[in-house]
Amino acid sequence: MLHINDLTYRIDGKLLIDHATAAIPGGHKVGLVGRNGSGKSTLLNLILGNIEPETGGISLPKRSTIGTVEQEVDSGPTSLIDTVLAANKERSSLLAEAETAKEPHRIAEIQTRLADMNAHAAPARAATILSGLGFDEAAQARPCSDFSGGWRMRVALAAMLFAEPDLLLLDEPTNYLDLEGAIWLENYLKTYPYTVVIVSHDRDLLNRSVNGILHLDQRKLTYYQGNYETFERVRREKQALQLALKRKQDDERRHMEKFVERFRYKASKARQAQSRLKALSKLEPIPDIVENRVQPFHFPGSDKPLSSPIVRLESASVGYSDDSPVLKGLNLRIDQDDRIALLGANGNGKSTFAKLLSDKLRVGQGSFFKSKKLRVAYFAQHQLDELRPEESPYDHFRDLMPDATQAQVRARAGFYGFSADKADTKAGNLSGGEKARLLFALATFHKPHLMILDEPTNHLDMDARHALVMALNEFDGAVILISHDRHLIEMTADRLWLVADGSVQRWEGDLDDYQKWLLDPARRNGPMVHVDGDSEISSDVQELNRRQQRQDAAKARSQLAPLKKEIDKAAAEMEKARDFIAKVDQRLADGKLFIDKPERAAELVKGRAAAEKAMARAEDRWLELSETYEAAKATADA
């Protein structure tokens, strides 16, 4: 279907894609993955023909149509349903022509083509797509001008899904969807009849909706069959094999070089030495594995934890005016070790609830109790625009550390992942991921007891999202999470609350239960709170069990950081001993040492034996600590 042939492209002299070649079979759903800045969006623009490559080209079957989501639809008076229907230009053109056509043969052609494309069912299909993306029947009849930019992006996505191009290109489609919309899109793409290429860092979308992964790495393209988990496993195996081959080749090269060095001038061995020289020149070097490691996130927790509950709501209501609350009847508590993810479609009140907890809104009725010492960190995507674009990360940290020296401010910036150059870069010139990192650092600077994160992953690539998961699991305080990233929720949250129908209720099932309920229209009319039908456990016992689970998870999380330090320490000792043994072996390889300096040779042999014992002890400790760490991590993630 799609052939990428010897493609090269540069931006401002920087080589992004270097003689890359790949082929995507027709009808496949393919995830395009790679680190931020590697050139994924550029590749989509090359496929669309918006930019021209330096070398090579891209080929598609004749008369193939390509579609992508526009930035957003026009904010005019056209209704949502009509906007989506107009995306199928052939259908719209034929319907317009049918109004004026008079020649019988042409009328027959038009009607036949409309029947072939199932045009009469188009309104129902368009309505289904809009509904799946969060627009009810009343909203579908409203004009586009009634909706904000984020909602119009959903309309643009709906229009492109309805048009069904032969090749559909999607660039981070879940960034402007809530969890409910993302779940619906996952299921819709599975049955999309044509080829799809998706740029995404959403692990669940890539695991559930694609059957191929196109990896852009080191300016090259590699195609893998299977979903993202399969890609990760195959790539790790490939890297392990490559590393083993490189080590073997390096050993072989060193052996040849030593032979040549020793015997190239000895007449009886000269021919063999020359033969090895030729072999060395033909030995194609295996490249090093380049790992672009992401900086970890650091969320410093409070030095003095608070007694639970840190927040308690009783019959509380909240809204933007006293006479029309968005949420009411709130009877909830948040403990110091809670990890809570908020479910519910956009517009149901998740952000309103988060603003209540962060003192951006006040309770209208009822009671809101919280500790006077409670410190709350609030992160939301819109805050990226609140960074001062002309000031650097150093300037932002300086404002929070007015009495600190320049070295102390730079040290704090470095702690949060901003090197000397990045610390002096204007915030407006930082990437989306770097801005998010800066915002995380500023929000958590004063060691909060409670973190509220509203869509924290939108600008983070896969590795950065993993780093975020690790940091959240090591954080000592409570977390309230609003996210469309299912993997993030599953790896960090131990409680789910559903925000719907003007209230917030506990959801007693897991995300799989929520997905089943969400996609089953019959269950939408049932109770919001899911409880297993065969469970005989009382709600009080369930609450005690959950509390014990939270305590176990919090205790496990508190063990992770010191365990990780001990593991790193043991690994460093192993590496130090390994380096020492390698140096000793290099010295002992010289046979003259045993003749000229036998005492020194004996000392080296004795030192090597001691280093081997030290390395074995460090390795045993490393294995034991690693097992303990994995067990603690499993408990923390349970």
Side-chain angles (χ1 to χ4, degrees):
M1 169 63 182
L2 173 65
H3 293 273
I4 301 169
N5 305 300
D6 195 37
L7 201 68
T8 302
Y9 188 79
R10 301 172 194 267
I11 293 181
D12 297 330
K14 179 184 177 182
L15 187 61
L16 277 184
I17 302 172
D18 183 18
H19 297 284
T21 298
I24 295 175
H28 276 220
K29 317 305 188 292
V30 176
L32 175 56
V33 302
R35 295 295 300 272
N36 278 348
S38 61
K40 301 184 297 296
S41 296
T42 299
L43 181 58
L44 292 191
N45 277 314
L46 286 164
I47 295 172
L48 286 165
N50 294 337
I51 51 179
E52 291 295 324
E54 181 178 317
T55 68
I58 294 166
S59 59
L60 289 162
K62 290 183 178 179
R63 292 185 292 277
S64 293
T65 56
I66 306 177
T68 189
V69 179
E70 302 298 332
Q71 287 302 310
E72 62 180 59
V73 298
D74 292 334
S75 56
T78 308
S79 68
L80 303 192
I81 189 72
D82 288 339
T83 299
V84 173
L85 288 170
N88 189 327
K89 292 181 172 55
E90 182 184 7
R91 174 184 175 275
S92 299
S93 176
L94 289 172
L95 288 174
E97 188 179 353
E99 295 291 330
T100 59
K102 296 180 180 179
E103 202 274 316
H105 180 69
R106 180 54 185 159
I107 293 173
E109 286 182 338
I110 293 171
Q111 295 302 323
T112 300
R113 178 58 185 149
L114 288 171
D116 289 342
M117 64 196 308
N118 204 16
H120 68 280
R125 188 163 67 87
T128 299
I129 294 172
L130 283 168
S131 176
L133 293 174
F135 299 98
D136 58 23
E137 187 175 352
Q140 293 173 24
R142 290 164 57 190
C144 292
S145 57
D146 283 2
F147 297 88
S148 65
W151 285 97
R152 291 202 298 272
M153 284 295 295
R154 294 192 186 204
V155 179
L157 175 60
M160 194 46 58
L161 293 175
F162 175 77
E164 290 191 341
D166 299 309
L167 174 60
L168 175 61
L169 306 178
L170 299 176
D171 194 350
E172 294 290 0
T174 58
N175 270 8
Y176 42 87
L177 298 178
D178 50 24
L179 176 63
E180 290 68 22
I183 289 173
W184 179 88
L185 182 63
E186 286 176 12
N187 286 273
Y188 187 87
L189 289 177
K190 290 177 187 177
T191 59
Y192 187 81
Y194 306 112
T195 308
V196 182
V197 176
I198 313 168
V199 174
S200 180
H201 298 296
D202 189 323
R203 186 183 296 261
D204 278 277
L205 179 68
L206 297 178
N207 274 331
R208 298 168 185 269
S209 302
V210 307
N211 50 19
I213 296 291
L214 187 61
H215 187 209
L216 179 54
D217 182 51
Q218 303 299 311
R219 300 180 291 277
K220 300 291 186 183
L221 288 169
T222 308
Y223 184 76
Y224 295 81
Q225 290 281 359
N227 63 9
Y228 187 81
E229 284 185 357
T230 303
F231 153 73
E232 272 200 328
R233 176 177 54 78
V234 172
R235 188 167 71 104
R236 283 197 300 268
E237 292 171 354
K238 186 177 178 181
Q239 286 179 334
L241 177 60
Q242 181 179 338
L243 186 61
L245 289 173
K246 179 171 175 54
R247 286 175 176 168
K248 183 178 179 181
Q249 187 190 75
D250 289 345
D251 289 343
E252 185 179 356
R253 183 183 294 278
R254 282 192 294 269
H255 181 74
M256 286 183 181
E257 288 172 345
K258 286 180 182 178
F259 185 92
V260 170
E261 187 64 29
R262 291 181 64 188
F263 297 117
R264 69 189 305 173
Y265 301 115
K266 190 172 182 179
S268 61
K269 298 287 187 179
R271 182 174 297 175
Q272 296 178 33
Q274 289 299 318
S275 175
R276 281 166 173 74
L277 273 176
K278 290 180 181 178
L280 271 172
S281 66
K282 294 178 180 178
L283 201 60
E284 187 70 26
I286 297 172
D288 286 316
I289 296 172
V290 179
E291 287 286 354
N292 298 314
R293 298 191 181 277
V294 68
Q295 284 280 349
F297 289 98
H298 296 286
F299 299 143
S302 173
D303 297 328
K304 296 181 179 179
L306 302 176
S307 300
S308 293
I310 57 175
V311 170
R312 189 171 79 252
L313 293 162
E314 294 180 357
S315 302
S317 66
V318 61
Y320 300 92
S321 63
D322 293 338
D323 55 347
S324 59
V326 176
L327 301 170
K328 56 186 178 181
L330 303 179
N331 292 287
L332 303 162
R333 63 176 279 163
I334 299 174
D335 293 336
Q336 178 66 48
D337 58 352
D338 269 338
R339 304 301 169 96
I340 300 167
L342 301 183
L343 309 177
N346 281 355
N348 280 1
K350 297 193 298 292
S351 294
T352 301
F353 184 65
K355 289 175 181 176
L356 170 65
L357 297 179
S358 58
D359 280 338
K360 296 181 185 295
L361 289 174
R362 296 188 178 279
V363 163
Q365 295 180 349
S367 302
F368 179 22
F369 302 98
K370 66 175 184 177
S371 170
K372 293 180 180 179
K373 297 180 180 180
L374 179 67
R375 291 194 297 272
V376 180
Y378 181 73
F379 174 97
Q381 283 299 321
H382 66 81
Q383 292 176 319
L384 296 180
D385 298 328
E386 297 174 9
L387 294 173
R388 300 184 295 277
E390 294 300 315
E391 297 186 18
S392 67
Y394 172 85
D395 296 325
H396 284 80
F397 283 113
R398 162 59 71 193
D399 289 347
L400 296 174
M401 306 171 66
D403 300 324
T405 65
Q406 183 183 29
Q408 289 172 328
V409 176
R410 291 197 176 278
R412 181 60 65 92
F415 174 76
Y416 284 107
F418 292 95
S419 61
D421 290 341
K422 287 296 181 184
D424 291 327
T425 302
K426 291 182 179 180
N429 295 332
L430 296 175
S431 69
E434 289 164 344
K435 289 178 181 177
R437 179 178 292 277
L438 177 57
L439 200 57
F440 279 129
L442 300 177
T444 60
F445 187 85
H446 294 295
K447 300 182 178 181
H449 303 94
L450 169 65
M451 285 175 56
I452 301 172
L453 305 179
D454 192 346
E455 295 295 355
T457 61
N458 276 3
H459 295 283
L460 304 182
D461 60 25
M462 205 75 77
D463 292 333
R465 292 183 185 207
H466 177 70
L468 178 61
V469 168
M470 297 297 293
L472 287 176
N473 283 333
E474 291 178 3
F475 177 64
D476 290 333
V479 176
I480 301 293
L481 180 63
I482 302 170
S483 179
H484 67 267
D485 189 327
R486 179 168 174 165
H487 180 73
L488 177 68
I489 294 174
E490 290 177 330
M491 293 297 290
T492 59
D494 51 31
R495 302 179 71 186
L496 302 176
W497 288 359
L498 178 60
V499 184
D501 297 334
S503 190
V504 182
Q505 304 284 345
R506 296 181 182 86
W507 178 269
E508 301 297 351
D510 57 18
L511 281 180
D512 287 333
D513 295 317
Y514 183 62
Q515 177 173 334
K516 292 174 185 176
W517 173 82
L518 191 70
L519 297 175
D520 184 356
R523 295 187 67 176
R524 285 182 176 273
N525 298 323
M528 291 188 303
V529 182
H530 170 78
V531 181
D532 292 336
D534 58 353
S535 175
E536 298 295 334
I537 305 174
S538 70
S539 59
D540 290 340
V541 174
Q542 288 184 29
E543 178 61 30
L544 287 172
N545 288 340
R546 285 195 298 272
R547 187 176 301 171
Q548 185 61 49
Q549 289 172 356
R550 292 196 300 273
Q551 291 172 353
D552 291 343
K555 183 179 179 181
R557 282 194 294 272
S558 68
Q559 296 172 348
L560 288 177
L563 277 173
K564 186 68 167 61
K565 290 180 182 178
E566 289 298 316
I567 290 171
D568 291 342
K569 183 179 177 182
E573 291 176 6
M574 289 164 56
E575 189 63 28
K576 183 179 179 181
R578 192 178 291 113
D579 289 344
F580 177 80
I581 291 170
K583 290 177 182 177
V584 170
D585 287 344
Q586 189 174 4
R587 291 289 310 278
L588 294 177
D590 184 2
K592 293 182 180 180
L593 181 66
F594 291 89
I595 298 172
D596 297 341
K597 298 180 179 179
E599 297 86 358
R600 179 57 179 159
E603 288 177 4
L604 289 175
V605 170
K606 189 180 296 183
R608 189 186 190 285
E612 281 190 332
K613 290 180 180 178
M615 186 169 70
R617 288 195 300 269
E619 187 174 27
D620 289 341
R621 193 164 74 257
W622 181 85
L623 288 169
E624 182 180 350
L625 289 167
S626 295
E627 289 179 2
T628 305
Y629 180 86
E630 291 301 323
K633 187 174 182 299
T635 302
D637 293 340

